[in-house]
Amino acid sequence: MVHVLSSRILLHPVDPDRSRAFYGEQLGLAVQREFGTGPERGTVYFLGGGFLELSGRSETPPSPALQLWLQVEDADAAHEELKAKGVDIVRPPVKEPWGLIEMWIADPDGTRIVLVETPLDHPLRYRPGI
């Protein structure tokens, strides 16, 4: 069995400075560490139970198949905060048929990010009799 000690998502943005401004300033992710120098230096952000690393540079945006899933405490509050910061809101918060509240945004390279709120009465949180 493989014992995973940590997990990380690695992105090679088209414009590293623009992506650092998005993830650090607009989304407000805390920096775990930085490495290297210059505009293409690496930046690692805390991402709940894992990390998001921006490093290097890509000539093309990532595949639309790549999407990030981030859990938030309050999707409506996140919507208002991110809208005020000029984040590209792809879809405002909606309660899905499966009971989660999901809001979609996009980073500067078009990577779609779902912000998910798990309501208190959702089965992922609430299990009667246990």
Side-chain angles (χ1 to χ4, degrees):
M1 176 176 183
V2 176
H3 295 281
V4 177
L5 301 178
S6 180
S7 62
R8 180 174 305 200
I9 295 167
L10 175 61
L11 295 180
H12 299 297
V14 173
D15 182 338
D17 285 333
R18 181 181 69 178
S19 291
R20 270 192 292 279
F22 174 78
Y23 287 101
E25 296 168 22
Q26 290 184 295
L27 284 188
L29 298 181
V31 174
Q32 189 257 346
R33 72 183 187 97
E34 291 188 292
F35 56 92
T37 59
E40 295 179 31
R41 71 187 178 279
T43 305
V44 179
Y45 296 95
F46 286 104
L47 197 61
F51 301 95
L52 172 67
E53 178 178 326
L54 301 178
S55 63
R57 181 182 293 266
S58 176
E59 296 299 318
T60 59
S63 163
L66 173 69
Q67 299 176 355
L68 303 179
W69 191 95
L70 305 177
Q71 187 168 356
V72 298
E73 186 175 5
D74 183 333
D76 288 327
H79 177 253
E80 293 306 313
E81 178 182 339
L82 296 175
K83 185 169 70 171
K85 291 181 177 181
V87 170
D88 179 15
I89 307 291
V90 175
R91 194 191 77 184
V94 172
K95 186 166 188 175
E96 300 291 356
W98 45 90
L100 297 175
I101 300 167
E102 297 186 4
M103 169 183 145
W104 286 87
I105 62 175
D107 82 357
D109 287 338
T111 301
R112 289 177 48 118
I113 303 167
V114 61
L115 301 179
V116 178
E117 175 186 341
T118 306
L120 293 175
D121 62 347
H122 192 277
L124 287 174
R125 281 195 196 219
Y126 176 71
R127 294 173 45 187
I130 294 181

